[in-house]
Amino acid sequence: MLAIHAVPAFKDNYIWMLESGGRAVAVDPGDAAPVEGFLRERGFSLAAVLATHHHMDHVGGLQALARRWKCPTFGPAREVVAGLDYRLGEGDRIRVPGVDVDLDTYDIPGHTAGHIALFGAGAVFCGDTLFACGCGRLFEGTPAQMVDSLGKLARLPGATRVYCGHEYTLANIRFAEVVEPGNRALGARRLRETAKRERSEPTLPSTVAEELATNPFLRCDQPEIIASAERRAGRRLAGRVEVFAVLRDWKNTF
Ligand SMILES: [Zn+2]
């Protein structure tokens, strides 16, 4: 039986730990120490490391973990990550060692140029591309690429659990409520997620269905969001990519 645990790292990162029968797999271990602490505490062994993109807060602990546990590492084919054994791109499927889960790879450029998502067992690990009620900054990609990448994630089954890389949810909801004040699902979500944070619980995972209902970056075709973006830009916007680009810039300074 597969379990997925959150291991907090740094200020607001999550390292996701897949576990089955005492064997564990780390997703995006920016730091080895909290992973080692988690394994020790639970008596688990590490069977593999997975990475979604090259940023150090996602791969900083990869090599130390792979050396210590002599386990294979998997990550993006189109990025430079030191210590990667298996390089994954769109359409690649892996059987993850130790936990016997099949994961399918999607190329989702935008936050970084070679960012990947891994989807399987009703879960998607999407790094810094889709966040709960938000999306990643465009460090290496264009708005059009990001819209396309978010579209791939949005087309996964609605019940898919979304495991992203950071606890940004409450700030993202505050922005979403400014952009789409008429969306009543947002207020309900704010109450739900605030209660989790007050109990010191992660707000994650969310689901694809929840993101479709509340995440402004997946809702760039909604009239209220288009109107907000056009007011912000001071001009008419032609299509989803332009609306997305205005929202993404707006959020950067929100
Ligand atoms: Zn990142």
Side-chain angles (χ1 to χ4, degrees):
M1 178 68 187
L2 181 74
I4 303 178
H5 305 268
V7 173
F10 308 118
K11 181 165 157 272
D12 50 30
N13 281 75
Y14 289 122
I15 300 166
W16 296 109
M17 300 295 298
L18 286 63
E19 181 269 327
S20 180
R23 306 260 283 156
V25 171
V27 181
D28 283 354
D31 188 1
V35 174
E36 295 290 6
F38 172 84
L39 295 170
R40 203 176 321 117
E41 197 175 285
R42 309 264 177 152
F44 297 158
S45 63
L46 191 69
V49 177
L50 313 179
T52 62
H53 67 293
H54 69 84
H55 285 161
M56 284 310 282
D57 64 321
H58 294 252
V59 299
L62 179 146
Q63 278 188 295
L65 289 169
R67 272 199 292 268
R68 153 97 167 81
W69 294 93
K70 299 185 173 33
C71 69
T73 62
F74 302 80
R78 295 185 298 129
E79 297 193 344
V80 177
V81 176
L84 265 197
D85 298 317
Y86 297 96
R87 299 164 65 84
L88 307 175
E90 181 82 22
D92 288 337
R93 172 176 288 191
I94 55 166
R95 167 63 55 96
V96 185
V99 296
D100 284 338
V101 167
D102 288 327
L103 293 178
D104 288 311
T105 310
Y106 293 83
D107 284 334
I108 50 167
H111 176 69
T112 61
H115 201 305
I116 59 169
L118 296 166
F119 167 70
V124 65
F125 300 93
C126 52
D128 291 352
T129 299
L130 176 63
F131 287 128
C133 218
C135 76
R137 286 175 189 251
L138 303 181
F139 288 120
E140 300 173 11
T142 65
Q145 281 179 320
M146 194 61 152
V147 166
D148 190 51
S149 296
L150 291 171
K152 287 185 189 177
L153 300 173
R155 287 190 296 275
L156 294 173
T160 304
R161 283 162 293 137
V162 176
Y163 291 89
C164 46
H166 292 269
E167 180 62 64
Y168 291 157
T169 311
L170 295 184
N172 287 344
I173 292 172
R174 280 195 292 279
F175 176 71
E177 288 188 300
V178 168
V179 172
E180 198 183 16
N183 184 347
R184 295 178 55 187
L186 277 170
R189 186 170 191 186
R190 175 166 39 75
L191 295 177
R192 219 164 44 237
E193 309 296 21
T194 301
K196 289 185 202 165
R197 296 308 292 150
E198 282 169 357
R199 298 192 297 265
S200 300
E201 292 170 12
T203 59
L204 305 169
S206 68
T207 64
V208 166
E210 203 172 18
E211 296 312 318
L212 285 171
T214 53
N215 190 322
F217 295 97
L218 301 185
R219 298 170 60 79
C220 292
D221 57 347
Q222 295 294 310
E224 191 178 20
I225 292 188
I226 295 169
S228 292
E230 289 186 337
R231 261 197 314 279
R232 174 78 182 181
R235 62 185 173 91
R236 303 287 293 186
L237 300 172
R240 193 182 267 262
V241 172
E242 283 198 11
V243 172
F244 173 87
V246 170
L247 290 190
R248 188 54 269 179
D249 280 346
W250 186 358
K251 178 67 171 33
N252 289 347
T253 56
F254 183 73

